[in-house]
Amino acid sequence: MDTRTSNSDRPISRGERWGPKLLWLRQVVDSDAFRISFAVLVFAAALGVLRQELQGQNFDSIARAFGSVSSTALLLAAGATVASYACLAVSERWALAAIGRSLSPLRIALATFVSYALSNGLGFSAATGGAARLRFYRAWGLSLAEVTAVTLMAGVAVTLGGVVCAGMAILLIPGAAPILAWIGALAIVPTTFWLLRPPRRTALLPGVEFTRPGPALRFSAIAAGIADWVFSGLALYILLPAPTFADFAPFMVIFVLGSLVSAASGLPGGIGVFDAILLSLSHRFGATHENVAALLLYRLIYVVGPLALTALGLAGYQLRRLDRAATTTGFRIAEAIAPAILATLVFCFGAALLLAAANLPMPLPPPEPWMAALPSRPLATSLLGALLVIVAMALWRRLEAGFYATFALLSLGAAMELWRGFGVATAGPLLVLAAALALSRRAFDRQSAGFHHVISPAWLAAAGLAGVSSLVLALATRDVRALADQPWWRWLRPGGDFGVAAVAAGLASLGLLIAIWWLASPSPREPRRPSKDEMARAARIVDAASGISCDALLYRMGDKSFVFSPSGLSFVMFRAYHGRWIAMGDPVGPPGDRSAAIEAFIAAADAADAKAVFYAVEAASLPTLLAAGLSAQKIGESGSVDLSHFDLKGKAHEDLRHALNSASRSHLRFDVLAADAPTTPWHDLEAVSDSWLDAHAGAEKTFSLGSFDVDYLRQFPIAVLRRGEQVVAFANVMITPDRARFGPDLVRADADAPHGTTDALLGHLILWGKAQQLGVFELGMAPLSGLPLNAVAPISTHVEAWIFRTANSLYGFQGLREYKEKFTPTWRDIFLAADPDVNPLIALSDIALLTSGGARKLLHRPRRSRR
């Protein structure tokens, strides 16, 4: 995190010792590899539970259970589904009323239905239901802050409703153990306190006034949330065999538990996880095949039904676009949610094929002689299911290779079903999915490894692995025909009947899946470092700009990539880090062109399958960033001193005067060396820098701070404090081209320098700037200070404020603010703006790692010898 001027006299803290390890651990947990591995493990565990539960079951028994469900139960389940969505709309309307906004019931119902249909079917993510809600409400006149507020409050009402519903269900279970009764009571008590809090008007977000409703209105919101959970559970309970009123309470406990765990799994719609929990805990409600039938019907009615209606609306907008180039609200929503819908449908279809191949054998007609060369249905089903699960992830990320691979697999699967004589009934779903995919071709516009790195060694290795695997698989299944009559993963079982052929075929299948995974993965290209021409172009923009901050001069480090506006008059500098493009500061250029630079940067990040983050931006950029769909949060304050009013006299600058007098008594002499002066003692400056890094157990800085690099430092004047000819402290001085702002970047002092040396260096630098008639002295940021807190502030803001108040012993946040106060600065707010999917705390730790050179550099700091 950028602190610009820090107290070099501060001792090493525990946070500086353990912080890098914690950041590294957080980075691992947040990585795509960890999340995907976790989701795969959870899904595999769920499949294992399902296989155990479904042993001995077959399609005939499940089909009979389907037929035994009465039309009355189906109608009641559909009615409960409608009632559940109506309750969600009530919560949404309450949230709108709380911020003083009113929309027609039809619009609220439409936004609620689409957003929750996507969330229930695709998973709880801002990229699905949140994106649809955002586009609806923004088109109807709500600001981004108001949409965020509505989403927050409606989500709180529904979540609290679920907690209370589970607690009440536990209390209603006859003969429940005392410990369960205590758990149920604890689930209800916090919500009761929230209901009884008095009304109060406060600022929820910038530009959003929020009045906490009275107890009656809050009770109605919680009641709507509870009713939503009851009706959604009822939609499944009605479908179970012989449901009774007495068993509904224990069923609701299981239902809420399964819903929460499946949501935490990260899998689309909690596929497999919800079903495994419900089946393993619901034996008292019916036989396994009856519960399976009820679960499948529930998925069709409560999840697939609303999702299918949303998909039909999407297809309608896509078809309209074929006739005329429309940019309507509906089309923009359709374009945004098409990949998520199609990816989830493909994933669910692939998972269903895997489950069918693993657990539900069905009698197959004898193959015709001409079909002998084709793989058997168990083999084809298991491979097709695994491949569809893989390419669904590429669809989710809008990769073009995912589109083509999925379309090819769906078409091939449908063709094989037709050739085998199973008819349109089995090929139909594949054909419908392929047609829907074809209509949404334009939504899959991101580069992928298999299409844009065809000559790289990795691509050739993956292609070769796929070819060899296919050949080995074909030879193995041809030589041992019975091998093809079962799913591919069963070939890897030890002690099988087919020996080497089975192992070869199993390994070949794994190789084929790995190769397809890589070929359909995002393009591994990283934004390249700027060329000499781009550096010169950025220099011309900076030299011509006015009103920029000293941070703009960090472009000279050459460690950041550039995105230029279409006009070429402004740019955004950034670094790519773990799937996020992190921009350093505001766009640089004329104020009228900065919005174009912001839009170009967000578009470039999106095309690269990355999330856009703007770090350390000022309030002037917020309207454009919010209009572009980013969310913003205050992360601290930046201090500056107006030199036209600065004077050392008075009690306010007593400490600074003392530091200057103490430096004079210690015979410390101040001087400013011109940029690239031939007399600059680079060897002495490097010795001071190494001493400072050793004293602070630090690694060299980057990104939001300069590093000790002679080529970089030559571009700035260097302020030094000397004792005789020995340099004891130095700072490179950033001066904007219009001379309106200046400030230090690297501020380093020798570990053996007298106490207060850094204060004296900065005090002399301020006086020098005043003599040079410079405008404002920039002290840099005080992270996490001045954060606004209220009852409905984001959780991340409360966490950051708690860190600021209590973690001074770990890092010194509050001490840094107090240190800079001795210069009597004027404080201005500094913000982080990011894609709604990016957690602000994670983004800030990413920036801390970038500034410190990365987690590996922090964990393996080189030790330097004291010169």
Side-chain angles (χ1 to χ4, degrees):
M1 205 173 291
D2 183 8
T3 59
R4 188 52 53 86
T5 53
S6 60
N7 188 353
S8 62
D9 300 321
R10 180 168 55 88
I12 302 171
S13 64
R14 285 177 291 167
E16 289 170 323
R17 294 191 184 99
W18 293 102
K21 297 179 177 61
L22 295 176
L23 286 175
W24 174 81
L25 179 61
R26 202 281 308 157
Q27 201 70 51
V28 170
V29 172
D30 185 55
S31 65
D32 285 342
F34 179 87
R35 286 183 293 174
I36 292 175
S37 300
F38 177 75
V40 169
L41 288 175
V42 172
F43 183 62
L47 282 181
V49 173
L50 287 174
R51 182 183 180 190
Q52 183 70 27
E53 292 295 326
L54 295 175
Q55 279 185 346
Q57 306 299 320
N58 54 58
F59 280 116
D60 290 336
S61 61
I62 294 176
R64 287 194 298 271
F66 265 98
S68 65
V69 178
S70 65
S71 56
T72 302
L74 293 174
L75 289 175
L76 289 174
T81 299
V82 174
S84 172
Y85 278 88
C87 292
L88 292 172
V90 171
S91 298
E92 199 91 356
R93 188 171 187 178
W94 164 79
L96 285 165
I99 63 169
R101 299 301 297 251
S102 177
L103 294 174
S104 68
L106 182 60
R107 284 186 168 182
I108 296 175
L110 176 61
T112 303
F113 178 82
V114 172
S115 59
Y116 279 103
L118 294 173
S119 295
N120 291 335
L122 311 184
F124 295 92
S125 170
T128 53
R133 179 188 277 109
L134 176 66
R135 284 166 173 82
F136 274 123
Y137 286 147
R138 289 299 299 275
W140 295 334
L142 273 70
S143 67
L144 179 66
E146 289 175 324
V147 177
T148 303
V150 170
T151 304
L152 173 66
M153 289 187 290
V156 167
V158 174
T159 303
L160 289 178
V163 173
V164 174
C165 182
M168 294 173 61
I170 292 174
L171 294 177
L172 291 174
I173 296 176
I179 184 64
L180 291 179
W182 277 104
I183 294 174
L186 289 175
I188 298 174
V189 168
T191 304
T192 304
F193 283 122
W194 181 79
L195 288 173
L196 297 177
R197 294 183 69 180
R200 189 182 70 181
R201 190 166 185 82
T202 183
L204 177 62
L205 292 168
V208 180
E209 286 292 323
F210 168 72
T211 300
R212 185 189 299 142
L217 192 54
R218 270 179 275 165
F219 179 81
S220 65
I222 294 297
I226 295 173
D228 160 56
W229 283 91
V230 170
F231 281 121
S232 60
L234 194 61
L236 172 57
Y237 190 66
I238 290 172
L239 300 171
L240 293 172
T244 63
F245 179 79
D247 285 337
F248 185 61
F251 170 81
M252 281 303 302
V253 176
I254 298 172
F255 180 82
V256 173
L257 174 65
S259 300
L260 295 178
V261 174
S262 63
S265 69
L267 293 166
I271 182 70
V273 179
F274 177 81
D275 312 271
I277 293 174
L278 264 292
L279 282 180
S280 61
L281 298 178
S282 298
H283 296 293
R284 65 179 291 179
F285 305 115
T288 299
H289 64 281
E290 295 172 324
N291 292 339
V292 170
L295 272 171
L296 292 175
L297 286 171
Y298 171 77
R299 288 279 191 183
L300 289 173
I301 294 172
Y302 194 87
V303 179
V304 177
L307 193 61
L309 289 176
T310 303
L312 287 175
L314 164 66
Y317 281 114
Q318 295 282 29
L319 290 173
R320 285 180 58 191
R321 193 179 185 280
L322 297 178
D323 298 329
R324 59 186 179 89
T327 57
T328 61
T329 300
F331 174 72
R332 290 196 298 271
I333 295 171
E335 190 80 6
I337 64 179
I341 290 180
L342 292 170
T344 299
L345 292 176
V346 170
F347 180 91
C348 293
F349 197 83
L353 290 178
L354 287 175
L355 187 60
N359 298 292
L360 301 177
M362 62 180 296
L364 302 176
E368 298 293 336
W370 61 272
M371 291 194 296
L374 297 176
S376 68
R377 196 172 193 198
L379 173 60
T381 299
S382 62
L383 280 176
L384 181 61
L387 290 171
L388 287 178
V389 167
I390 288 175
V391 297
M393 298 179 185
L395 285 182
W396 184 278
R397 306 181 82 163
R398 292 170 37 199
L399 298 175
E400 55 186 347
F403 169 83
Y404 288 114
T406 306
F407 187 81
L409 288 172
L410 293 173
S411 302
L412 179 62
M416 291 185 65
E417 290 295 298
L418 291 173
W419 290 342
R420 291 180 184 282
F422 290 102
V424 178
T426 55
L430 296 169
L431 293 173
V432 170
L433 269 179
L437 193 65
L439 288 173
S440 304
R441 168 64 188 92
R442 292 172 61 90
F444 302 93
D445 55 358
R446 291 175 176 167
Q447 294 185 2
S448 48
F451 278 31
H452 295 275
H453 288 78
V454 293
I455 61 173
S456 69
W459 189 95
L460 292 174
L465 180 61
V468 172
S469 300
S470 300
L471 178 62
V472 173
L473 185 61
L475 292 175
T477 55
R478 184 193 66 178
D479 293 340
V480 186
R481 184 62 191 176
L483 196 63
D485 292 332
Q486 54 186 313
W488 61 267
W489 56 80
R490 291 183 181 170
W491 302 338
L492 294 173
R493 289 182 302 178
D497 299 329
F498 307 107
V500 176
V503 174
L507 294 177
S509 301
L510 285 175
L512 179 64
L513 296 176
I514 292 171
I516 296 298
W517 174 283
W518 192 90
L519 294 173
S521 64
S523 175
R525 63 186 178 91
E526 288 289 335
R528 55 181 176 81
R529 294 296 174 90
S531 64
K532 291 183 178 179
D533 290 341
E534 288 175 325
M535 289 291 291
R537 188 179 176 187
R540 290 193 295 270
I541 292 174
V542 171
D543 291 342
S546 61
I548 60 176
S549 71
C550 292
D551 286 339
L553 300 180
L554 289 171
Y555 85 92
R556 295 178 180 175
M557 292 179 64
D559 66 333
K560 303 172 188 65
S561 304
F562 298 130
V563 170
F564 293 92
S565 67
S567 67
L569 298 177
S570 56
F571 68 87
V572 174
M573 55 182 171
F574 72 98
R575 287 279 298 274
Y577 199 73
H578 287 273
R580 286 174 276 276
W581 281 17
I582 303 176
M584 179 59 221
D586 298 276
V588 182
D593 194 58
R594 292 181 184 179
S595 61
I598 290 173
E599 293 170 1
F601 175 74
I602 294 174
D606 182 71
D609 192 23
K611 304 296 184 183
V613 177
F614 283 82
Y615 172 65
V617 295
E618 299 187 11
S621 296
L622 284 187
T624 303
L625 292 167
L626 295 176
L630 303 185
S631 58
Q633 183 170 322
K634 182 178 176 180
I635 56 172
E637 297 173 305
S638 183
S640 59
V641 180
D642 186 351
L643 298 189
S644 63
H645 300 95
F646 181 81
D647 194 331
L648 279 176
K649 298 177 181 179
K651 186 174 179 59
H653 294 133
E654 182 179 359
D655 290 342
L656 193 55
R657 289 197 308 272
H658 175 75
L660 291 171
N661 293 332
S662 178
S664 177
R665 289 192 298 270
S666 299
H667 305 290
L668 298 182
R669 177 169 51 90
F670 175 79
D671 193 11
V672 177
L673 308 175
D676 200 20
T679 58
T680 302
W682 294 113
H683 182 78
D684 294 344
L685 298 183
E686 185 179 12
V688 171
S689 177
D690 288 350
S691 173
W692 187 91
L693 289 172
D694 276 341
H696 289 76
E700 195 58 83
K701 308 304 178 185
T702 181
F703 186 64
S704 65
L705 287 172
S707 59
F708 192 91
D709 180 87
V710 174
D711 291 334
Y712 169 67
L713 295 176
R714 286 185 191 277
Q715 304 174 73
F716 302 97
I718 305 294
V720 296
L721 273 181
R722 289 188 175 106
R723 181 190 287 116
E725 295 301 319
Q726 179 188 3
V727 176
V728 296
F730 75 93
N732 64 311
V733 186
M734 291 178 160
I735 305 174
T736 59
D738 59 1
R739 298 175 62 85
R741 297 186 185 187
F742 83 108
D745 179 18
L746 245 62
V747 181
R748 293 184 178 176
D750 190 274
D752 297 327
H755 181 78
T757 298
T758 303
D759 296 359
L761 176 66
L762 296 179
H764 277 299
L765 188 56
I766 291 175
L767 296 176
W768 174 85
K770 187 176 178 67
Q772 296 292 320
Q773 298 183 338
L774 299 177
V776 172
F777 179 75
E778 290 194 347
L779 280 165
M781 187 190 298
L784 309 185
S785 70
L787 299 182
L789 296 179
N790 50 60
V792 289
I795 293 176
S796 57
T797 299
H798 283 280
V799 173
E800 292 165 7
W802 175 81
I803 292 172
F804 179 79
R805 292 193 307 268
T806 64
N808 192 52
S809 62
L810 297 179
Y811 182 79
F813 293 113
Q814 193 165 355
L816 180 62
R817 167 68 183 253
E818 293 171 354
Y819 171 77
K820 295 184 178 184
E821 280 288 358
K822 69 179 64 177
F823 301 97
T824 61
T826 300
W827 296 99
R828 64 183 186 278
D829 294 340
I830 296 297
F831 298 87
L832 177 85
D835 186 282
D837 263 351
V838 177
N839 186 311
L841 293 175
I842 291 176
L844 288 173
S845 66
D846 283 342
I847 293 160
L849 287 170
L850 268 180
T851 300
S852 299
R856 181 172 298 179
K857 191 171 182 180
L858 280 172
L859 292 171
H860 305 285
R861 293 181 177 125
R863 299 303 300 170
R864 303 171 179 84
S865 60
R866 189 73 60 83
R867 299 192 184 205

